[in-house]
Tab-separated table of all heavy atoms in Angstrom:
chain	number	residue	atom	x	y	z
A	45	TYR	N	-40.204	63.230	-32.240
A	45	TYR	CA	-40.695	62.461	-31.083
A	45	TYR	C	-40.623	60.953	-31.301
A	45	TYR	O	-41.023	60.189	-30.425
A	45	TYR	CB	-42.149	62.858	-30.770
A	45	TYR	CG	-42.244	64.296	-30.308
A	45	TYR	CD1	-42.546	65.310	-31.207
A	45	TYR	CD2	-41.980	64.630	-28.990
A	45	TYR	CE1	-42.592	66.631	-30.802
A	45	TYR	CE2	-42.025	65.947	-28.573
A	45	TYR	CZ	-42.334	66.937	-29.487
A	45	TYR	OH	-42.367	68.246	-29.079
A	46	ALA	N	-40.155	60.538	-32.488
A	46	ALA	CA	-40.121	59.088	-32.748
A	46	ALA	C	-39.202	58.417	-31.732
A	46	ALA	O	-38.102	58.895	-31.455
A	46	ALA	CB	-39.644	58.828	-34.172
A	47	GLN	N	-39.678	57.317	-31.192
A	47	GLN	CA	-38.901	56.640	-30.145
A	47	GLN	C	-38.321	55.324	-30.649
A	47	GLN	O	-37.117	55.085	-30.607
A	47	GLN	CB	-39.801	56.354	-28.933
A	47	GLN	CG	-40.247	57.589	-28.195
A	47	GLN	CD	-41.013	57.257	-26.911
A	47	GLN	OE1	-41.285	56.103	-26.604
A	47	GLN	NE2	-41.351	58.293	-26.162
A	48	GLY	N	-39.229	54.440	-31.133
A	48	GLY	CA	-38.854	53.045	-31.407
A	48	GLY	C	-37.700	52.912	-32.376
A	48	GLY	O	-36.698	52.265	-32.077
A	49	GLY	N	-37.804	53.510	-33.566
A	49	GLY	CA	-36.714	53.439	-34.528
A	49	GLY	C	-37.182	53.198	-35.950
A	49	GLY	O	-38.312	53.499	-36.301
A	50	ILE	N	-36.273	52.620	-36.757
A	50	ILE	CA	-36.555	52.379	-38.176
A	50	ILE	C	-36.390	50.890	-38.465
A	50	ILE	O	-35.353	50.298	-38.139
A	50	ILE	CB	-35.576	53.162	-39.079
A	50	ILE	CG1	-35.500	54.625	-38.646
A	50	ILE	CG2	-35.972	53.039	-40.536
A	50	ILE	CD1	-34.675	55.490	-39.555
A	51	ALA	N	-37.438	50.330	-39.089
A	51	ALA	CA	-37.393	48.896	-39.380
A	51	ALA	C	-36.490	48.639	-40.583
A	51	ALA	O	-36.655	49.265	-41.630
A	51	ALA	CB	-38.801	48.397	-39.670
A	112	ARG	N	-37.467	45.035	-31.111
A	112	ARG	CA	-38.588	44.294	-31.699
A	112	ARG	C	-39.864	45.054	-31.395
A	112	ARG	O	-40.016	45.607	-30.303
A	112	ARG	CB	-38.606	42.895	-31.067
A	112	ARG	CG	-39.777	42.069	-31.469
A	112	ARG	CD	-39.316	40.753	-32.102
A	112	ARG	NE	-40.467	40.029	-32.597
A	112	ARG	CZ	-40.798	38.820	-32.198
A	112	ARG	NH1	-40.047	38.175	-31.329
A	112	ARG	NH2	-41.868	38.242	-32.692
A	113	GLU	N	-40.784	45.098	-32.351
A	113	GLU	CA	-42.073	45.779	-32.124
A	113	GLU	C	-43.210	44.926	-32.666
A	113	GLU	O	-42.972	43.907	-33.328
A	113	GLU	CB	-42.053	47.172	-32.755
A	113	GLU	CG	-41.067	48.111	-32.058
A	113	GLU	CD	-41.048	49.513	-32.629
A	113	GLU	OE1	-42.039	49.947	-33.229
A	113	GLU	OE2	-40.016	50.176	-32.483
A	114	GLY	N	-44.439	45.405	-32.422
A	114	GLY	CA	-45.633	44.636	-32.772
A	114	GLY	C	-45.693	44.270	-34.245
A	114	GLY	O	-45.373	45.085	-35.114
A	116	HIS	N	-43.855	42.359	-35.989
A	116	HIS	CA	-42.583	41.924	-36.599
A	116	HIS	C	-42.261	40.499	-36.156
A	116	HIS	O	-42.309	40.198	-34.959
A	116	HIS	CB	-41.426	42.834	-36.148
A	116	HIS	CG	-41.447	44.197	-36.770
A	116	HIS	ND1	-40.915	44.456	-38.009
A	116	HIS	CD2	-41.928	45.381	-36.327
A	116	HIS	CE1	-41.064	45.743	-38.302
A	116	HIS	NE2	-41.688	46.334	-37.296
A	121	VAL	N	-35.552	46.556	-35.526
A	121	VAL	CA	-35.760	48.000	-35.434
A	121	VAL	C	-34.463	48.689	-34.968
A	121	VAL	O	-34.038	48.559	-33.816
A	121	VAL	CB	-36.948	48.339	-34.503
A	121	VAL	CG1	-37.179	49.846	-34.484
A	121	VAL	CG2	-38.205	47.615	-34.966
A	126	ASP	N	-34.102	55.409	-26.891
A	126	ASP	CA	-35.533	55.634	-27.155
A	126	ASP	C	-35.784	57.056	-27.638
A	126	ASP	O	-36.855	57.608	-27.451
A	126	ASP	CB	-36.378	55.319	-25.904
A	126	ASP	CG	-36.031	56.223	-24.735
A	126	ASP	OD1	-35.066	56.996	-24.834
A	126	ASP	OD2	-36.743	56.157	-23.718
A	128	THR	N	-34.796	58.061	-31.011
A	128	THR	CA	-34.328	57.946	-32.402
A	128	THR	C	-34.673	59.199	-33.213
A	128	THR	O	-33.838	59.732	-33.937
A	128	THR	CB	-34.985	56.708	-33.059
A	128	THR	OG1	-34.841	55.604	-32.171
A	128	THR	CG2	-34.363	56.401	-34.399
A	210	THR	N	-50.915	60.804	-29.822
A	210	THR	CA	-49.493	60.824	-29.443
A	210	THR	C	-48.784	61.960	-30.183
A	210	THR	O	-47.615	62.210	-29.951
A	210	THR	CB	-48.808	59.514	-29.882
A	210	THR	OG1	-48.874	59.441	-31.318
A	210	THR	CG2	-49.472	58.293	-29.282
A	237	GLN	N	-54.168	54.738	-37.364
A	237	GLN	CA	-53.577	53.808	-36.395
A	237	GLN	C	-53.617	54.402	-34.984
A	237	GLN	O	-53.165	55.524	-34.767
A	237	GLN	CB	-52.128	53.527	-36.784
A	237	GLN	CG	-51.475	52.491	-35.907
A	237	GLN	CD	-50.161	52.023	-36.495
A	237	GLN	OE1	-49.180	52.768	-36.501
A	237	GLN	NE2	-50.121	50.808	-37.000
A	239	HIS	N	-52.139	54.057	-31.344
A	239	HIS	CA	-51.040	53.404	-30.624
A	239	HIS	C	-51.589	52.932	-29.285
A	239	HIS	O	-52.271	53.684	-28.594
A	239	HIS	CB	-49.890	54.403	-30.410
A	239	HIS	CG	-48.597	53.729	-30.056
A	239	HIS	ND1	-48.409	53.069	-28.872
A	239	HIS	CD2	-47.441	53.603	-30.753
A	239	HIS	CE1	-47.176	52.568	-28.848
A	239	HIS	NE2	-46.571	52.885	-29.978
A	240	PRO	N	-51.287	51.685	-28.907
A	240	PRO	CA	-51.899	51.167	-27.680
A	240	PRO	C	-51.403	51.851	-26.402
A	240	PRO	O	-52.119	51.873	-25.401
A	240	PRO	CB	-51.478	49.689	-27.666
A	240	PRO	CG	-51.035	49.380	-29.056
A	240	PRO	CD	-50.544	50.659	-29.652
A	241	THR	N	-50.193	52.411	-26.421
A	241	THR	CA	-49.629	52.821	-25.127
A	241	THR	C	-49.107	54.259	-25.102
A	241	THR	O	-47.913	54.503	-25.145
A	241	THR	CB	-48.495	51.850	-24.698
A	241	THR	OG1	-47.477	51.850	-25.703
A	241	THR	CG2	-49.014	50.438	-24.489
A	252	LEU	N	-45.441	59.293	-25.562
A	252	LEU	CA	-45.578	57.900	-25.988
A	252	LEU	C	-44.733	56.978	-25.115
A	252	LEU	O	-43.645	57.355	-24.683
A	252	LEU	CB	-45.088	57.789	-27.444
A	252	LEU	CG	-45.217	56.413	-28.085
A	252	LEU	CD1	-46.666	56.160	-28.498
A	252	LEU	CD2	-44.320	56.292	-29.310
A	253	ILE	N	-45.252	55.775	-24.865
A	253	ILE	CA	-44.401	54.716	-24.300
A	253	ILE	C	-44.180	53.727	-25.444
A	253	ILE	O	-45.079	52.991	-25.835
A	253	ILE	CB	-45.068	54.001	-23.097
A	253	ILE	CG1	-45.527	55.009	-22.029
A	253	ILE	CG2	-44.112	52.965	-22.507
A	253	ILE	CD1	-44.418	55.757	-21.316
A	254	THR	N	-42.973	53.752	-25.984
A	254	THR	CA	-42.702	53.007	-27.214
A	254	THR	C	-43.053	51.520	-27.119
A	254	THR	O	-42.895	50.891	-26.065
A	254	THR	CB	-41.226	53.158	-27.651
A	254	THR	OG1	-40.978	52.288	-28.750
A	254	THR	CG2	-40.250	52.804	-26.541
A	255	GLU	N	-43.464	50.993	-28.285
A	255	GLU	CA	-43.770	49.574	-28.387
A	255	GLU	C	-42.531	48.725	-28.101
A	255	GLU	O	-42.633	47.548	-27.752
A	255	GLU	CB	-44.245	49.308	-29.826
A	255	GLU	CG	-45.045	48.076	-29.982
A	255	GLU	CD	-45.943	48.193	-31.201
A	255	GLU	OE1	-45.465	47.954	-32.314
A	255	GLU	OE2	-47.116	48.542	-31.034
A	256	ALA	N	-41.359	49.340	-28.256
A	256	ALA	CA	-40.117	48.614	-27.975
A	256	ALA	C	-40.078	48.158	-26.520
A	256	ALA	O	-39.381	47.187	-26.186
A	256	ALA	CB	-38.918	49.499	-28.299
A	257	VAL	N	-40.843	48.814	-25.645
A	257	VAL	CA	-40.904	48.365	-24.239
A	257	VAL	C	-41.514	46.963	-24.198
A	257	VAL	O	-41.042	46.069	-23.486
A	257	VAL	CB	-41.725	49.365	-23.374
A	257	VAL	CG1	-42.012	48.796	-21.993
A	257	VAL	CG2	-41.002	50.707	-23.275
A	258	ARG	N	-42.570	46.779	-25.018
A	258	ARG	CA	-43.158	45.429	-25.092
A	258	ARG	C	-42.198	44.478	-25.804
A	258	ARG	O	-42.120	43.298	-25.477
A	258	ARG	CB	-44.519	45.484	-25.801
A	258	ARG	CG	-45.620	45.943	-24.852
A	258	ARG	CD	-46.936	46.145	-25.572
A	258	ARG	NE	-46.981	47.431	-26.237
A	258	ARG	CZ	-47.484	47.652	-27.437
A	258	ARG	NH1	-48.002	46.667	-28.124
A	258	ARG	NH2	-47.493	48.861	-27.950
A	285	ARG	N	-50.685	46.386	-33.876
A	285	ARG	CA	-51.246	47.446	-33.029
A	285	ARG	C	-52.762	47.495	-32.984
A	285	ARG	O	-53.336	47.816	-31.946
A	285	ARG	CB	-50.772	48.800	-33.548
A	285	ARG	CG	-49.451	49.114	-33.018
A	285	ARG	CD	-49.012	50.476	-33.406
A	285	ARG	NE	-47.583	50.464	-33.205
A	285	ARG	CZ	-46.762	51.358	-33.684
A	285	ARG	NH1	-47.221	52.350	-34.402
A	285	ARG	NH2	-45.483	51.274	-33.433
A	320	PHE	N	-34.187	52.759	-22.154
A	320	PHE	CA	-35.303	53.706	-22.288
A	320	PHE	C	-35.099	54.961	-21.417
A	320	PHE	O	-35.931	55.256	-20.551
A	320	PHE	CB	-36.625	53.002	-21.907
A	320	PHE	CG	-36.925	51.792	-22.748
A	320	PHE	CD1	-36.928	50.516	-22.188
A	320	PHE	CD2	-37.196	51.916	-24.104
A	320	PHE	CE1	-37.195	49.395	-22.971
A	320	PHE	CE2	-37.465	50.796	-24.892
A	320	PHE	CZ	-37.462	49.538	-24.327
A	323	ILE	N	-38.022	57.635	-21.468
A	323	ILE	CA	-39.230	57.180	-20.776
A	323	ILE	C	-39.001	57.169	-19.265
A	323	ILE	O	-39.852	57.605	-18.483
A	323	ILE	CB	-39.629	55.773	-21.292
A	323	ILE	CG1	-40.094	55.913	-22.742
A	323	ILE	CG2	-40.695	55.134	-20.418
A	323	ILE	CD1	-40.399	54.614	-23.443
A	346	HIS	N	-52.421	57.854	-33.595
A	346	HIS	CA	-50.960	57.895	-33.727
A	346	HIS	C	-50.490	58.155	-35.151
A	346	HIS	O	-49.576	58.948	-35.376
A	346	HIS	CB	-50.419	56.550	-33.243
A	346	HIS	CG	-48.933	56.424	-33.266
A	346	HIS	ND1	-48.108	57.234	-32.516
A	346	HIS	CD2	-48.107	55.570	-33.948
A	346	HIS	CE1	-46.840	56.893	-32.725
A	346	HIS	NE2	-46.815	55.896	-33.598
A	347	TYR	N	-51.107	57.490	-36.134
A	347	TYR	CA	-50.535	57.549	-37.484
A	347	TYR	C	-51.630	57.424	-38.535
A	347	TYR	O	-52.540	56.602	-38.401
A	347	TYR	CB	-49.531	56.397	-37.662
A	347	TYR	CG	-48.821	56.445	-38.995
A	347	TYR	CD1	-47.677	57.213	-39.156
A	347	TYR	CD2	-49.333	55.765	-40.092
A	347	TYR	CE1	-47.050	57.295	-40.392
A	347	TYR	CE2	-48.702	55.840	-41.325
A	347	TYR	CZ	-47.562	56.602	-41.469
A	347	TYR	OH	-46.941	56.688	-42.683
A	381	ARG	N	-50.275	49.924	-40.628
A	381	ARG	CA	-48.826	50.086	-40.800
A	381	ARG	C	-48.062	49.202	-39.830
A	381	ARG	O	-48.354	49.165	-38.629
A	381	ARG	CB	-48.442	51.544	-40.549
A	381	ARG	CG	-46.957	51.791	-40.571
A	381	ARG	CD	-46.658	53.247	-40.280
A	381	ARG	NE	-47.041	53.616	-38.952
A	381	ARG	CZ	-46.187	53.794	-37.942
A	381	ARG	NH1	-44.899	53.611	-38.121
A	381	ARG	NH2	-46.621	54.148	-36.759
A	382	LEU	N	-47.061	48.519	-40.339
A	382	LEU	CA	-46.156	47.772	-39.471
A	382	LEU	C	-45.292	48.783	-38.711
A	382	LEU	O	-44.789	49.749	-39.290
A	382	LEU	CB	-45.277	46.854	-40.330
A	382	LEU	CG	-44.335	45.910	-39.601
A	382	LEU	CD1	-45.114	44.843	-38.819
A	382	LEU	CD2	-43.406	45.211	-40.596
A	383	ALA	N	-45.130	48.535	-37.415
A	383	ALA	CA	-44.377	49.470	-36.564
A	383	ALA	C	-43.019	49.807	-37.172
A	383	ALA	O	-42.351	48.943	-37.750
A	383	ALA	CB	-44.175	48.838	-35.183
A	384	SER	N	-42.644	51.068	-37.040
A	384	SER	CA	-41.335	51.580	-37.471
A	384	SER	C	-41.087	51.500	-38.979
A	384	SER	O	-39.963	51.626	-39.448
A	384	SER	CB	-40.191	50.918	-36.688
A	384	SER	OG	-40.210	51.451	-35.386
A	385	ASN	N	-42.176	51.312	-39.740
A	385	ASN	CA	-42.064	51.356	-41.201
A	385	ASN	C	-42.278	52.765	-41.746
A	385	ASN	O	-42.104	52.979	-42.939
A	385	ASN	CB	-43.105	50.430	-41.841
A	385	ASN	CG	-42.512	49.089	-42.265
A	385	ASN	OD1	-41.315	48.873	-42.139
A	385	ASN	ND2	-43.346	48.195	-42.753
A	386	SER	N	-42.699	53.732	-40.893
A	386	SER	CA	-43.014	55.045	-41.474
A	386	SER	C	-41.769	55.889	-41.694
A	386	SER	O	-41.667	56.582	-42.704
A	386	SER	CB	-44.027	55.804	-40.630
A	386	SER	OG	-43.672	55.745	-39.304
A	387	LEU	N	-40.820	55.833	-40.772
A	387	LEU	CA	-39.581	56.584	-41.006
A	387	LEU	C	-38.880	56.003	-42.233
A	387	LEU	O	-38.313	56.726	-43.045
A	387	LEU	CB	-38.675	56.524	-39.768
A	387	LEU	CG	-39.219	57.249	-38.528
A	387	LEU	CD1	-38.337	56.988	-37.304
A	387	LEU	CD2	-39.332	58.763	-38.752
B	8	SIN	C1	-43.145	53.262	-31.082
B	8	SIN	O1	-41.985	53.496	-30.784
B	8	SIN	O2	-43.899	52.530	-30.428
B	8	SIN	C2	-43.715	53.907	-32.293
B	8	SIN	C3	-43.190	53.224	-33.476
B	8	SIN	C4	-43.991	53.586	-34.684
B	8	SIN	O3	-44.953	54.338	-34.623
B	8	SIN	O4	-43.644	53.064	-35.740
Side-chain angles (χ1 to χ4, degrees):
Y45 294 95
Q47 292 186 356
I50 311 186
R112 174 123 185 239
E113 293 182 24
H116 287 276
V121 183
D126 62 353
T128 312
T210 63
Q237 185 168 71
H239 197 292
T241 59
L252 183 77
I253 307 293
T254 173
E255 201 155 82
V257 170
R258 279 174 279 139
R285 276 185 198 165
F320 301 113
I323 292 175
H346 182 62
Y347 184 86
R381 174 181 65 104
L382 185 67
S384 287
N385 260 357
S386 46
L387 293 173

